[in-house]
Amino acid sequence: MNLMKNTCRAAAAALTVPVLLFTAACGSDDGKSSAGEPVAKVDGKPGAQPKITVPKGAKPADKAVTKTLTEGKGATVKKGDLVRLDWSAQSMKGQNLGSSWMRQPGAKPGGPRAQIVSEVTDQAQQQQLPPKVLAAVAGQKVGSRFEVEGTAKELVGPRLNPQLGIKPQDGLVWVIDVVGAKKLDKKAKAEGKQAAPESGMPEVTAADEKAAKITVPKGEQPPKDLKQQVLIKGKGPEVKAGDGLIAQYTGVKWEDGKKFDSSWDHGGATAFQIGAGQVVQGWDKALVGKHVGDRVEIVIPPKLAYAGNPQSGLDKNTLVFSVDIVGTV
């Protein structure tokens, strides 16, 4: 099960980035340009949507080219860090491949834009960035803007979607802003005395480096509305809409009490953008405004979870989560 909603934008639809497709990282660890100079011109400062202009007849290099356009003043990103990124992409023929500045369907007016929150790796984990582009974040500083160019064959590989009319030899351009970064502690969890469950709420029993045990009250009907309780009160910063939320979580179905997912099943703490329509509505509603260090129990009715999405296998279920908020990025 994946907490992330189907947030594939134009780039994902165009490129069909597959899991474990790419094997080699690109970009130098010092954040300087690699494999020559890019041909595209990029106007605009970090934080604003870039304007990408490619000279007529320009050809991409055979190998990926990475260049820092604006160097930030923050910490240097390392492989394995969690990052929050803005991005914009197009083909060298001018075809738009998507952008975090594009307003997503159903997004709240004036709300945070949907950004990428991901671990820096050379393996495919999300669908907006090819792994070679994501790997190039390593070596950049927080606040930086950089560019990655290359052929579709070099950056995307054999799973390029031919229906978009992009050929393997066509050039692609990504512009990335490094908004934030944080070292990832996959074993992190909420610490402190846990409160007893309120009346009608399931009981949560945490375990060391294992999925929490969540016991649903016998004979109780699931609530029709969102319910939540802070079980451990943290002392960290408040979680704001648009933050990358770093969490340790376990989820079970109210109807049978069976676990359907846990971050511990995937190696430990993971991150999602919160309050921007990137996760189920119940998470957005319950976790914005909480604090780093909190352990929060959430009971989410289908209408705020996966109702209308039968492919999830959870469209008729009320979901119960125990969520440890262990950081933000």
Side-chain angles (χ1 to χ4, degrees), residues 253-285:
K253 294 179 286 185
W254 179 287
E255 289 75 12
D256 58 14
K258 291 183 178 180
K259 182 187 71 172
F260 59 86
D261 195 20
S262 175
S263 56
W264 291 110
D265 296 340
H266 309 291
T270 188
F272 312 91
Q273 191 183 24
I274 200 74
Q278 297 282 73
V279 293
V280 294
Q281 291 183 61
W283 271 52
D284 278 345
K285 290 178 178 291

Side-chain angles (χ1 to χ4, degrees), residues 82-307:
L82 282 171
V83 291
R84 181 156 56 96
L85 309 171
D86 274 317
W87 66 281
S88 190
Q90 70 174 54
S91 74
M92 287 190 177
K93 295 180 179 179
Q95 183 174 351
N96 179 25
L97 300 178
S99 170
S100 58
W101 283 272
M102 293 173 59
R103 181 59 60 179
Q104 299 302 301
K108 295 181 180 179
R113 57 181 174 270
Q115 298 168 318
I116 291 172
V117 176
S118 178
E119 182 180 350
V120 177
T121 175
D122 55 9
Q123 301 297 316
Q125 290 190 327
Q126 44 71 44
Q127 292 179 300
Q128 285 89 26
L129 294 183
K132 284 193 175 183
V133 178
L134 181 59
V137 179
Q140 300 290 335
K141 293 182 178 180
V142 174
S144 293
R145 167 169 286 183
F146 70 97
E147 173 188 1
V148 181
E149 287 184 11
T151 63
K153 179 180 179 180
E154 169 71 7
L155 295 181
V156 182
R159 293 291 296 274
L160 180 69
N161 185 348
Q163 296 181 354
L164 271 292
I166 297 175
K167 299 177 181 179
Q169 66 270 24
D170 288 346
L172 305 178
V173 182
W174 263 268
V175 177
I176 308 295
D177 287 358
V178 185
V179 179
K182 181 162 289 187
K183 184 178 180 180
L184 175 60
D185 179 2
K186 288 184 174 291
K187 296 183 179 181
K189 62 179 182 178
E191 302 283 356
K193 185 177 180 180
Q194 180 171 303
E198 297 172 353
S199 177
M201 291 290 282
E203 183 176 355
V204 174
T205 304
D208 287 338
E209 299 184 23
K210 293 182 180 179
K213 180 181 178 182
I214 302 175
T215 305
V216 177
K218 290 184 178 180
E220 290 276 355
Q221 292 298 310
K224 295 182 179 180
D225 297 312
L226 181 72
K227 294 190 68 176
Q228 56 182 291
Q229 180 185 356
V230 177
L231 298 175
I232 295 177
K233 292 185 178 181
K235 298 180 180 180
E238 181 179 333
V239 176
K240 298 178 181 179
D243 282 350
L245 180 82
I246 308 171
Q248 208 72 262
Y249 70 90
T250 298
V252 305
K253 294 179 286 185
W254 179 287
E255 289 75 12
D256 58 14
K258 291 183 178 180
K259 182 187 71 172
F260 59 86
D261 195 20
S262 175
S263 56
W264 291 110
D265 296 340
H266 309 291
T270 188
F272 312 91
Q273 191 183 24
I274 200 74
Q278 297 282 73
V279 293
V280 294
Q281 291 183 61
W283 271 52
D284 278 345
K285 290 178 178 291
L287 297 178
V288 171
K290 298 300 190 291
H291 292 81
V292 173
D294 284 354
R295 173 172 293 157
V296 187
E297 183 178 22
I298 318 170
V299 181
I300 308 176
K303 63 184 179 182
L304 297 178
Y306 291 99

Side-chain angles (χ1 to χ4, degrees), residues 38-103:
V39 297
K41 179 183 178 183
V42 180
D43 293 315
K45 297 180 179 180
Q49 184 170 4
K51 180 181 179 182
I52 303 171
T53 306
V54 180
K56 187 176 181 180
K59 301 292 184 182
D62 292 335
K63 297 295 183 181
V65 177
T66 303
K67 183 178 181 180
T68 300
L69 303 172
T70 302
E71 186 172 62
K73 297 181 179 180
T76 300
V77 179
K78 298 179 180 179
K79 185 176 180 180
D81 285 353
L82 282 171
V83 291
R84 181 156 56 96
L85 309 171
D86 274 317
W87 66 281
S88 190
Q90 70 174 54
S91 74
M92 287 190 177
K93 295 180 179 179
Q95 183 174 351
N96 179 25
L97 300 178
S99 170
S100 58
W101 283 272
M102 293 173 59
R103 181 59 60 179

